[in-house]
Amino acid sequence: MKKLSLSHTPIPFPDEFLASFLLRASYINGYESPEQMLNSAGIPIYKKSYDPLFTNEDKFKQVIERLGLSDDLLNLVIKKTPPTFQNFFWTKTQVIHRKLLDIGLNKFCSSCLEDKGYWKKNWLLTPLTVCLDHHIDLIEKCPECDNPLETSRKSLFECPTCTFDLRKSQKQQSTLEDLQINTWFLDSFLGTDENFNEIFFDIWTALSKYFSNLEILKSQSYILNLCHEYFHNEDKFISTLINMIKNNLDYAHPRIQLLPFLGNKSRFKPILNKILSYFRDYNSPSSKCIRRKFNKKEATHILGVSFAAFHKRLKAGILYHDQLSVSDRTNFPASILEEWLINEKKNINGTYTYHHPPPQNDESNDYFTIPEIMEILNINNRNARLFLKIPDIPTTKKYLNHYTQYCLSKEFVNSFHKKYIFLSPLAEYLDVSHLTLRAKLASLNIKPIYINKLYPAYYARKDIKHLDKSMIENIVTYKNNSGRKKAGIVDKRKNDAYISLSEAAKLLGISPSQTAQLIQHKWLNVENLEIRPYRIPRRSIDNLIQQKNDPTYVDIEVVLNALDCSYDQLEKNWIMTGYLKLRHIGYWRSFSKTEFDKAMKIHQEYFTASEANDYLGMHRTHMTNLVTQGLIKPKLHGNKFYSVRLFLREDVDKLLEAGYGYKSNQKKS
């Protein structure tokens, strides 16, 4: 077993966060990061497996053994609570919900860092907002560059992005009220009242969801203040919540606003009765209704009906809305729920009348479906769907052939076909290669109607009617495709233009909220993060799409299917062994095609132990037993830090023939 002797071992502090100790140890011993130090000790650690180390006692025992550290360090591990392992032990007996912890090195007191030289465990508590030793506000992220502080970095005190010394951060004096409330929270949290943490979690979660549902930004200090009010002055809390709801009536109905509390009636029933009584006669639509959608369970809480009753009313048409898709009865926009709350009170709560949806007319006689468009325009499915996304194309949704689908009017398609032709059918008509046709046409100053390369190219028939095969083949001088951008990249002439969040989402094939997350994590750049709506440079979208669609990389789903394994198996057998290196581009994960090809060659020649056991139809320990008996010899594949046993497929076949598998036993019988 490989061990590493550290020349300097720092002394851990009893209230220190474990990641802080590892950072101090790696820095004082000259390593670039704790990950590098652990890998040097023969402990395979990469980005995603590092943070879980702080909450896994068994894994950290390995660290202690390999680095020759004291067993006392196990006291710094924030252990998970059995049996589900979703929450944590803060002390030996004190349990804390995982959502009240931010396990990282982000929040800190600059004076403590300067005086003590380590990261305190208490700073992980999400509700804690001030340092009770120095009476200053805790800082989140780097105050210089506003970037998060990665857990694995070179120095505890330096921002890994801009190298700013965190100890020099500007200090903000805490208010007396914040000091008192933070003291109350910490004393109560560590106190003897077993019910406090459970009650606090419920009210903290409800208030946090209240503001997030309405897309209102409120500081954790403000939310903690409201929690304190809930515990100490219920009447004042109710009055505060009523005023909050009144101030937000432009955005949502009172019951929609109260969803986080309605979803936990057992806890909040007394205050809900008083608040709902105040808004009993409220009957006005919101002028700026939030765009959020709610699932069926959330909708039942908002409407105040049982799941069964809600399902019955939907199915029977008692609750009906012409904007609610027939096929989608699982997501309900806030605007529809609000209309029901105002106009359908009888149908929700008591006697009801049926609202049968009007029968949908099949408009197949007037519209073409995508397969029909493909056939008429002679394009493939992908290009047909991209064609329908072009802004100038009058794509619509109609009820055709018994279900709703995207389509185009027959009149438009027929007219379009007479006037225009796509690149592929044009190349087919001229009997030339479509790969160079676009460039050759450009040399003749014949350009596609829609220049944006995100969409398929098509040309006016009047511009190409004089062309023939010989004319195209005689073009030998033209701007070649070397260095051209991959399909899916915006035209250079539009690089200085900007697009909206929804447009960017469509180009990336994800939701607007996911696209917003890409902006927050710097995958996409915007003109100004503080200004809404976002203005996203086309160049930024280009760069991301170019990275995402890099042809030298293979998507993770392709790799999983080709190697016929789960993600856990992929991680253990291929990533940790160093054969495949996972690449993250926003939400998209991929592997180098070169690495993938090498892995496939190994996969075609070898079985892993689990694959061999499955192939033989035997227990998971079967191959291990056969190796012990000397009946088969494994080959170690991997690196100096981590390796797996592989077995030649031909050797496993020999075992099968010799009767060491369930399949062979079946044959014999």
Side-chain angles (χ1 to χ4, degrees):
M1 182 184 294
K2 186 173 180 179
K3 290 189 178 182
L4 180 68
S5 296
L6 298 177
S7 57
H8 300 87
T9 304
I11 298 172
F13 294 88
D15 61 338
E16 184 175 13
F17 177 36
L18 185 56
S20 168
F21 172 82
L22 291 175
L23 251 177
R24 292 195 296 122
S26 66
Y27 182 80
I28 199 172
N29 285 281
Y31 292 97
E32 289 295 314
S33 68
E35 288 181 23
Q36 188 187 56
M37 178 179 70
L38 295 174
N39 280 312
S40 299
I43 305 170
I45 291 289
Y46 52 99
K47 195 168 184 178
K48 284 196 172 182
S49 66
Y50 181 58
D51 286 1
L53 194 64
F54 317 136
T55 59
N56 191 318
E57 189 174 40
D58 290 334
K59 283 188 177 180
F60 198 72
K61 284 179 180 177
Q62 186 184 6
V63 174
I64 289 174
E65 186 179 358
R66 295 286 181 93
L67 295 179
L69 302 173
S70 169
D71 288 341
D72 292 341
L73 280 171
L74 290 174
N75 296 326
L76 302 187
V77 177
I78 305 172
K79 303 174 185 68
K80 292 181 178 180
T81 57
T84 59
F85 300 102
Q86 291 195 358
N87 297 325
F88 299 96
F89 284 113
W90 188 251
T91 63
K92 288 184 178 180
T93 57
Q94 191 80 26
V95 175
I96 184 171
H97 197 282
R98 59 188 175 85
K99 289 186 178 179
L100 292 180
L101 278 185
D102 182 12
I103 299 181
L105 292 172
N106 259 320
K107 191 162 57 178
F108 64 95
C109 167
S110 55
S111 294
C112 284
L113 286 183
E114 196 170 10
D115 297 345
K116 307 289 186 180
Y118 67 94
W119 214 276
K120 291 186 176 181
K121 180 182 171 185
N122 277 354
W123 297 342
L124 307 186
L125 295 170
T126 305
L128 198 70
T129 62
V130 305
C131 174
L132 298 176
D133 292 333
H134 296 99
H135 296 181
I136 61 175
D137 292 349
L138 295 176
I139 300 167
E140 289 190 33
K141 300 183 179 181
C142 172
E144 186 73 12
C145 66
D146 200 38
N147 280 312
L149 302 166
E150 294 179 4
T151 318
S152 180
R153 53 186 193 252
K154 185 175 181 179
S155 169
L156 186 69
F157 308 117
E158 284 187 2
C159 169
T161 305
C162 67
T163 69
F164 174 75
D165 190 336
L166 302 175
R167 294 168 294 187
K168 297 179 180 178
S169 304
Q170 189 175 355
K171 297 169 178 60
Q172 178 66 45
Q173 200 70 27
S174 304
T175 66
L176 180 60
E177 184 181 35
D178 279 345
L179 286 168
Q180 291 172 340
I181 291 174
N182 273 263
T183 301
W184 159 79
F185 164 69
L186 207 54
D187 289 346
S188 303
F189 171 65
L190 298 172
T192 56
D193 186 354
E194 295 180 358
N195 295 321
F196 173 82
N197 287 348
E198 187 179 342
I199 299 170
F200 180 87
F201 171 75
D202 286 346
I203 184 63
W204 175 272
T205 303
L207 288 167
S208 299
K209 286 182 178 178
Y210 173 86
F211 294 116
S212 65
N213 284 348
L214 296 173
E215 296 184 349
I216 297 172
L217 293 175
K218 288 292 183 183
S219 67
Q220 292 180 342
S221 178
Y222 182 80
I223 297 174
L224 184 61
N225 191 307
L226 290 178
C227 291
H228 179 266
E229 202 170 87
Y230 174 82
F231 276 93
H232 291 88
N233 193 337
E234 189 174 280
D235 290 339
K236 187 181 177 184
F237 176 81
I238 291 171
S239 176
T240 301
L241 195 52
I242 287 173
N243 286 329
M244 283 164 45
I245 294 170
K246 287 165 66 177
N247 291 334
N248 293 312
L249 288 174
D250 283 345
Y251 306 103
H253 188 280
R255 288 195 67 94
I256 294 176
Q257 292 191 49
L258 284 168
L259 173 62
F261 299 89
L262 291 167
N264 193 355
K265 281 185 180 179
S266 59
R267 173 73 68 205
F268 301 116
K269 189 175 181 179
I271 69 168
L272 278 170
N273 289 339
K274 294 178 182 179
I275 296 170
L276 290 172
S277 175
Y278 183 91
F279 292 102
R280 183 183 291 112
D281 300 323
Y282 184 78
N283 209 31
S284 301
S286 304
S287 59
K288 306 172 186 175
C289 190
I290 58 175
R291 294 185 179 181
R292 210 200 130 178
K293 291 185 178 182
F294 301 91
N295 61 39
K296 195 175 268 188
K297 187 177 181 180
E298 291 171 327
T300 62
H301 292 314
I302 292 170
L303 298 175
V305 296
S306 69
F307 193 90
F310 183 51
H311 183 74
K312 176 184 176 182
R313 284 160 171 72
L314 280 175
K315 191 175 181 180
I318 300 164
L319 285 176
Y320 167 76
H321 198 283
D322 56 5
Q323 294 181 13
L324 187 64
S325 169
V326 176
S327 60
D328 187 7
R329 298 288 181 81
T330 56
N331 293 288
F332 303 88
S335 56
I336 291 178
L337 293 174
E338 188 170 271
E339 284 189 42
W340 286 345
L341 287 167
I342 295 171
N343 303 320
E344 304 288 345
K345 288 182 179 179
K346 288 184 178 179
N347 289 335
I348 294 172
N349 300 311
T351 59
Y352 51 77
T353 56
Y354 286 94
H355 294 287
H356 292 291
Q360 290 184 283
N361 296 322
D362 193 305
E363 298 184 68
S364 302
N365 292 331
D366 300 316
Y367 291 88
F368 282 135
T369 62
I370 288 177
E372 292 169 324
I373 294 168
M374 290 165 54
E375 185 176 354
I376 294 168
L377 301 181
N378 193 17
I379 54 178
N380 59 30
N381 184 280
R382 179 177 180 275
N383 280 340
R385 293 184 181 278
L386 289 174
F387 173 56
L388 265 60
K389 292 181 179 181
I390 295 176
D392 298 333
I393 302 303
T395 305
T396 185
K397 264 189 171 183
K398 295 291 181 180
Y399 187 71
L400 310 174
N401 304 323
H402 309 296
Y403 67 97
T404 304
Q405 52 188 310
Y406 289 106
C407 58
L408 289 171
S409 73
K410 290 185 176 182
E411 183 182 356
F412 173 81
V413 175
N414 291 328
S415 174
F416 181 93
H417 186 50
K418 288 179 183 178
K419 294 179 182 178
Y420 306 104
I421 184 170
F422 283 88
L423 185 67
S424 252
L426 176 58
E428 187 180 329
Y429 169 74
L430 296 171
D431 192 22
V432 297
S433 171
H434 74 277
L435 297 174
T436 57
L437 181 57
R438 182 167 182 161
K440 289 185 176 183
L441 291 174
S443 72
L444 299 173
N445 204 29
I446 299 174
K447 299 175 182 177
I449 302 300
Y450 211 89
I451 299 189
N452 193 329
K453 291 186 179 180
L454 286 171
Y455 306 117
Y458 60 90
Y459 297 81
R461 290 185 182 271
K462 63 180 178 63
D463 294 338
I464 54 90
K465 63 182 181 180
H466 63 288
L467 299 177
D468 57 30
K469 181 177 181 179
S470 61
M471 287 179 65
I472 299 299
E473 289 183 341
N474 287 333
I475 300 172
V476 293
T477 304
Y478 59 95
K479 189 176 181 180
N480 62 32
N481 294 328
S482 61
R484 68 176 179 178
K485 294 187 288 183
K486 188 176 168 61
I489 297 173
V490 182
D491 182 33
K492 283 185 177 180
R493 288 174 291 179
K494 296 187 178 181
N495 275 343
D496 294 332
Y498 297 85
I499 61 175
S500 67
L501 188 69
S502 59
E503 289 172 326
K506 286 181 182 178
L507 295 176
L508 294 168
I510 57 179
S511 70
S513 60
Q514 288 175 310
T515 308
Q517 287 296 311
L518 291 177
I519 293 170
Q520 294 297 324
H521 289 86
K522 311 294 184 185
W523 287 105
L524 287 174
N525 299 317
V526 295
E527 201 175 36
N528 191 324
L529 274 171
E530 305 300 322
I531 297 177
R532 301 290 192 282
Y534 287 131
R535 282 167 52 85
I536 307 170
R538 288 182 178 271
R539 188 187 300 276
S540 183
I541 290 287
D542 281 0
N543 291 337
L544 183 59
I545 293 175
Q546 192 172 27
Q547 291 181 69
K548 180 174 92 63
N549 294 341
D550 189 340
T552 62
Y553 283 84
V554 183
D555 187 77
I556 189 171
E557 293 300 326
V558 175
V559 175
L560 288 169
N561 289 331
L563 296 175
D564 191 24
C565 64
S566 66
Y567 181 79
D568 288 342
Q569 291 168 329
L570 180 71
E571 185 177 52
K572 184 170 68 174
N573 297 331
W574 300 103
I575 297 175
M576 291 178 66
T577 52
Y579 286 101
L580 294 176
K581 186 177 180 182
L582 188 61
R583 184 188 75 147
H584 285 266
I585 302 294
Y587 296 104
W588 302 275
R589 298 177 296 172
S590 58
F591 298 93
S592 161
K593 191 174 185 304
T594 304
E595 291 180 355
F596 171 60
D597 290 341
K598 291 179 181 177
M600 279 301 298
K601 287 181 180 178
I602 297 171
H603 176 66
Q604 290 164 2
E605 191 175 353
Y606 291 91
F607 280 125
T608 64
S610 61
E611 288 172 341
N613 288 324
D614 290 342
Y615 182 74
L616 296 173
M618 302 299 287
H619 188 266
R620 62 184 178 85
T621 61
H622 187 58
M623 291 303 297
T624 302
N625 294 335
L626 295 179
V627 171
T628 305
Q629 297 173 46
L631 295 170
I632 190 170
K633 188 175 181 181
K635 183 177 179 180
L636 288 179
H637 278 248
N639 51 50
K640 61 180 181 180
F641 304 122
Y642 183 83
S643 59
V644 294
R645 294 188 304 175
L646 298 182
F647 302 87
L648 277 169
R649 289 176 179 265
E650 59 186 53
D651 290 347
V652 177
D653 281 330
K654 290 177 183 177
L655 288 174
L656 188 64
E657 293 171 4
Y660 291 97
Y662 179 73
K663 294 178 182 178
S664 53
N665 290 333
Q666 278 189 321
K667 290 178 182 178
K668 288 181 178 181
S669 62

